[in-house]
Amino acid sequence: MQRRAQAGAFLRPREQLWLLCTLIAIPSVLWGMWQVQRFTLSRTSAALSRAAGRPVTIESISATLEPGIALHGLRVGSELHVERADAVLEFAGLRPQLKGLRLTRPQLTFDLEKDRRRSTTSLLQGGQVGRRTRFLKRQPGRLPPISIHEGRVELKWKLGDVSLDLHSDDVHLLPQDDGYRFVTGKSDLRLGSMLLAELQSFAADLDPEHGFKPTRAALLAGEVRLATYPLALRVLKAHASRQGNTIELQLHARAPGSGKITLSGQIVEAPHAMASTEMHTIPRARDVLRASLEDVSLQSLAPLLSSMGVDVQKAKLLGTLTLSRMGKELQLDADLQIEGSALLHRRLAPHAVPLPRLKLELHLLRSPEGTWTLMDSRVALPKLALYAKGSFTPRTRRLSLALRLPPTGCQTTLTGLPEALVPSLRGMHLRGEFGATLDIDVDLADIKAGTVGFDLTPFTCKVLVDSPGAAVKKLIRGAPSQWIRLADGGRRQRQLGRRSRDFLPLHRISRHVRAAFVVAEDTHFYQHHGFALRQIKRALLHNLAQRRVERGASTISQQVVKNLFLNHERSVSRKLQEAVITWRLEQLTSKGRILELYLNLVEMGPGIYGVEQAARHYFGKSATALTPLQAVHLAALTPSPRRLGVATPDAAWMKRLQMLLRMMWRSGYLAPSRVRRYRPSALGLVKRASEK
């Protein structure tokens, strides 16, 4: 008790009063400071929200010694979060001015699809600047220095069902004497879960006086790795620099298989200046991008190109690609060589067609009006070259194309084709010269009304030695054989000689049968030399209109060659071989012999070959005694014998037969009295066991 009395006596009344006031004042001051900070946070957040056009929140605010203020936990909408933002101030009188801004660990997350109407510029510069937000002034015409440290950027762009995502870590923006330097650490670009590109380190110098456009850019360390399907590419070094409105590019990359790619060029951003002369106006500048390729493996493209019928598993690509732009005019020039590729498309050949070396020279121009022009381009094999030029106007959908094979030795042309493309011609030797042109001019809205021009000039080819695989000379008097398909799906060989039970010499076949097949299958059989050019042109336009091969325009001579030496596949390989062998057949064999062979080998039903078999099967009598109506019935079966041969004749079928009878009359093979309407019963078809 004595000690307490002494302690109380130690403080005098005045001191006790001051102590009491202090105990009351400190909480009041702290409460006041809290209220001031709360008011400051509220007013600052509101001002920044109006400036940014998005909700802005701040966790805390403090003063710094520079002098300045520090904003902690700054959030702008859902896109930008800054761990700390330091604003350095200087005072002109009583009004502060913003001297600099430092952002530490900012994180930008932006959905380009969701916020496509709100650009990054509006995010950083703000929507509306009110009177109260102008309290902090900056010097007119100049941005205060801004620095970013240890930032992170996440951008997302929705593409259909997947998203394109860009992630960049350790992002820095550092003030320089003449602008800013932008540096990133590891960055990656992904499409969904698939990695498209990975960048270890990248830097660029930015010019704030021209909208922060880059003046220089370079890959500082590491590499860019493109691993997207089906392409894989590694960029070893890249550099870009700006001089005025011109950007100079340099890029060195390594492709799979030790191939090298070099990209260089210039891009002019400002409108092209024009220099006038007395003669004409000359453009002064032009955008140019040039890529040099050296032993670039195409294996990564194999999955994509295999669906197009091209095998590039072992292929190498070398050459140059140049893309240039003059205003709205674009031009692509390519000088490429592909080694080790092969073609696998069933419309080309049944087996792979190796192409040891293929050269492509392409010159493609797009005019400001949108017209595409192909100028003097060339596709070349080691011994052959095909030249092409043409144009396409999207507005009118007009397409014109001219293909030209310059005069070339006949033997050079034959040996220049890949052997796998013309195996039946192996061993044939020719002399003379050969050239060809093909001109197509069509309106894609009405392709069948287009025009096709075809010319063989010169054509002086002569055969010195026939191919063992196409011994046409044996057809003159010999007994060839054909492979036929049986009704049960099997195959066997069938002889076409006078000793064969079903073989009929031409003079024993009814003249009505001969005439019916000629008018139905090859009206100008006796006038042409193996090829009906008018029908070929019509078939080409028809197939282009249908975008598939539906019509072949084969003559009787071509069908004989197809059945005796080749197969029934629809391919370029078969057509090439068929053309050469048909040309040789017409040289050595008479029209009568060709027609005789055709009438004895043509298919007219499941397992039914030749007019003699067909006459006995359908009418129970020999082909020597068929009536005109029965003859045109057999001829009408040839387009689809396995389907039509088992069908029951109806009114539409009889109308087709009547049309063939009229064609026989117009061609002079039939008297007018024989052309009349017939009922199906007039055919005299033999009832089969399945119909009884």
Side-chain angles (χ1 to χ4, degrees):
M1 295 293 293
Q2 186 177 0
R3 289 181 179 179
R4 290 180 180 176
Q6 291 177 354
F10 179 76
L11 295 176
R12 298 175 181 177
R14 180 179 295 179
E15 292 175 343
Q16 293 178 1
L17 180 62
W18 277 106
L19 178 60
L20 180 62
C21 291
T22 301
L23 292 176
I24 296 174
I26 288 177
S28 301
V29 170
L30 293 177
W31 181 84
M33 292 177 62
W34 176 75
Q35 288 291 343
V36 170
Q37 185 182 41
R38 182 180 176 186
F39 174 79
T40 304
L41 284 175
S42 175
R43 298 300 296 271
T44 304
S45 299
L48 292 178
S49 297
R50 288 193 298 270
R54 286 166 172 75
V56 176
T57 60
I58 305 171
E59 292 180 2
S60 63
I61 186 170
S62 62
T64 61
L65 298 177
E66 288 189 86
I69 58 174
L71 306 179
H72 304 272
L74 173 66
R75 290 185 179 274
V76 182
S78 60
E79 299 93 354
L80 180 63
H81 174 238
V82 183
E83 185 174 309
R84 174 171 174 154
D86 292 277
V88 181
L89 306 177
E90 63 180 5
F91 290 85
L94 297 177
R95 176 169 291 183
Q97 291 183 347
L98 184 60
K99 184 179 179 180
L101 183 63
R102 174 190 174 98
L103 305 179
T104 304
R105 296 187 183 89
Q107 181 172 336
L108 176 65
T109 304
F110 207 65
D111 190 330
L112 299 176
E113 179 68 19
K114 178 180 178 182
D115 301 312
R116 64 170 60 189
R117 296 183 180 178
R118 298 191 289 178
S119 65
T120 308
T121 304
S122 68
L123 173 65
L124 298 177
Q125 294 182 349
Q128 297 179 353
V129 180
R131 205 174 355 177
R132 296 184 181 182
T133 63
R134 296 175 186 166
F135 177 71
L136 295 180
K137 292 288 186 179
R138 63 176 177 86
Q139 298 179 7
R142 183 184 174 203
L143 284 172
I146 302 175
S147 63
I148 296 176
H149 302 269
E150 302 178 38
R152 177 177 174 81
V153 175
E154 296 182 8
L155 299 179
K156 179 177 291 187
W157 187 15
K158 193 72 173 177
L159 298 173
D161 296 331
V162 297
S163 62
L164 185 67
D165 300 313
L166 172 65
H167 301 270
S168 295
D169 291 325
D170 202 18
V171 178
H172 296 262
L173 182 67
L174 307 174
Q176 304 290 316
D177 293 337
D178 55 351
Y180 288 90
R181 175 158 293 175
F182 176 74
V183 182
T184 68
K186 184 177 180 180
S187 303
D188 61 77
L189 182 65
R190 294 179 180 273
L191 183 63
S193 60
M194 180 172 58
L195 178 67
L196 296 182
E198 188 178 58
L199 178 66
Q200 295 298 324
S201 182
F202 176 78
D205 289 341
L206 308 177
D207 183 2
E209 300 297 330
H210 296 86
F212 285 89
K213 292 182 178 179
T215 57
R216 287 190 304 247
L219 182 68
L220 294 181
E223 61 186 19
V224 176
R225 181 166 55 87
L226 295 175
T228 176
Y229 173 85
L231 179 64
L233 178 68
R234 292 183 177 182
V235 179
L236 304 178
K237 183 172 65 174
H239 179 265
S241 62
R242 176 192 294 275
Q243 294 182 356
N245 62 347
T246 302
I247 300 175
E248 300 286 342
L249 301 174
Q250 283 286 340
L251 182 144
H252 300 274
R254 186 171 297 279
S258 301
K260 297 180 181 178
I261 298 177
T262 302
L263 178 67
S264 62
Q266 68 174 22
I267 300 176
V268 182
E269 291 189 331
H272 297 280
M274 307 296 287
S276 298
T277 66
E278 295 182 358
M279 297 296 294
H280 54 276
T281 302
I282 304 174
R284 289 181 178 173
R286 180 182 198 103
D287 298 343
V288 178
L289 285 176
R290 182 176 292 104
S292 299
L293 312 173
E294 182 180 344
D295 291 333
V296 176
S297 173
L298 299 179
Q299 186 176 9
S300 299
L301 294 173
L304 176 64
L305 295 179
S306 63
S307 62
M308 304 177 187
V310 182
D311 180 12
V312 293
Q313 286 285 352
K314 300 179 180 179
K316 299 282 186 179
L317 177 66
L318 60 153
T320 59
L321 282 168
T322 304
L323 179 65
S324 55
R325 183 187 69 172
M326 178 70 68
K328 293 184 178 181
E329 181 182 278
L330 293 175
Q331 182 169 337
L332 174 65
D333 298 287
D335 186 1
L336 302 173
Q337 181 171 305
I338 304 174
E339 298 181 351
S341 63
L343 302 177
L344 293 171
H345 202 284
R346 63 184 180 87
R347 291 299 185 191
L348 180 68
H351 307 292
V353 179
L355 299 175
R357 186 167 69 253
L358 178 68
K359 293 194 68 175
L360 173 64
E361 294 179 11
L362 178 69
H363 305 284
L364 186 62
L365 177 69
R366 183 187 182 276
S367 70
E369 294 76 23
T371 298
W372 292 90
T373 304
L374 184 66
M375 306 175 295
D376 296 326
S377 299
R378 184 173 77 111
V379 179
L381 294 170
K383 295 182 180 181
L384 286 179
L386 181 68
Y387 292 83
K389 62 181 180 179
S391 64
F392 174 64
T393 306
R395 182 174 57 84
T396 60
R397 302 192 68 192
R398 195 78 188 180
L399 172 67
S400 63
L401 180 65
L403 302 177
R404 180 174 65 90
L405 179 68
T408 310
C410 298
Q411 186 62 28
T412 302
T413 302
L414 183 61
T415 57
L417 294 171
E419 192 173 285
L421 196 61
V422 287
S424 296
L425 304 183
R426 191 180 307 165
M428 177 178 278
H429 291 277
L430 307 170
R431 64 177 174 85
E433 198 173 40
F434 170 75
T437 58
L438 174 64
D439 296 292
I440 301 175
D441 187 6
V442 297
D443 181 352
L444 296 184
D446 187 11
I447 294 180
K448 293 183 179 181
T451 60
V452 176
F454 183 72
D455 183 46
L456 293 177
T457 304
F459 188 84
T460 59
C461 297
K462 302 292 182 182
V463 177
L464 301 178
V465 179
D466 278 308
S467 168
V472 179
K473 288 184 178 180
K474 293 182 180 180
L475 300 182
I476 300 176
R477 296 185 181 275
S481 61
Q482 70 170 140
W483 283 97
I484 64 173
R485 294 179 299 169
L486 303 178
D488 59 3
R491 296 178 74 241
R492 71 172 179 86
Q493 260 190 326
R494 174 172 174 263
Q495 290 296 125
L496 295 176
R498 298 185 184 275
R499 296 182 180 179
S500 175
R501 184 185 57 159
D502 297 323
F503 185 88
L504 278 183
L506 186 64
H507 67 274
R508 292 191 57 196
I509 299 175
S510 167
R511 62 186 180 89
H512 301 312
V513 173
R514 286 178 276 171
F517 278 87
V518 168
V519 298
E521 289 292 294
D522 192 355
T523 306
H524 302 285
F525 171 69
Y526 290 105
Q527 287 77 41
H528 63 63
H529 298 285
F531 307 96
L533 296 183
R534 183 179 299 177
Q535 280 69 30
I536 291 175
K537 295 175 183 178
R538 289 177 181 173
L540 178 59
L541 291 175
H542 176 84
N543 293 336
L544 286 175
Q546 300 300 320
R547 298 185 180 181
R548 61 178 181 269
V549 180
E550 286 187 350
R551 195 171 294 176
S554 292
T555 62
I556 287 177
S557 302
Q558 289 174 282
Q559 293 186 58
V560 169
V561 169
K562 176 179 67 177
N563 282 277
L564 295 181
F565 300 108
L566 303 171
N567 50 46
H568 290 258
E569 67 189 17
R570 289 187 172 183
S571 67
V572 174
S573 173
R574 195 208 83 192
K575 281 295 183 182
L576 284 175
Q577 297 173 91
E578 185 181 282
V580 175
I581 301 173
T582 299
W583 165 69
R584 184 58 171 159
L585 176 69
E586 288 277 343
Q587 282 186 324
L588 298 178
T589 313
S590 67
K591 289 288 187 179
R593 176 59 173 165
I594 294 174
L595 185 59
E596 180 183 76
L597 290 170
Y598 174 74
L599 293 176
N600 280 281
L601 61 78
V602 63
E603 183 180 13
M604 282 171 281
I608 303 169
Y609 290 84
V611 293
E612 182 65 11
Q613 273 191 20
R616 296 190 181 279
H617 176 79
Y618 293 109
F619 307 113
K621 57 183 176 181
S622 173
T624 60
L626 293 181
T627 66
L629 183 62
Q630 292 170 336
V632 295
H633 175 80
L634 295 184
L637 297 174
T638 54
S640 184
R642 291 182 171 260
R643 178 177 61 86
L644 298 175
V646 296
T648 302
D650 54 12
W653 181 256
M654 298 307 295
K655 187 176 180 180
R656 162 72 175 160
L657 301 188
Q658 187 180 1
M659 183 191 70
L660 292 176
L661 288 173
R662 285 198 302 268
M663 292 175 63
M664 290 176 63
W665 165 62
R666 290 170 183 168
S667 301
Y669 296 117
L670 195 64
S673 60
R674 306 297 295 270
V675 182
R676 63 178 186 273
R677 292 185 180 273
Y678 290 94
R679 293 183 179 180
S681 59
L683 280 171
L685 292 173
V686 175
K687 288 190 176 182
R688 305 176 186 90
S690 59
E691 299 174 349
K692 295 179 180 179

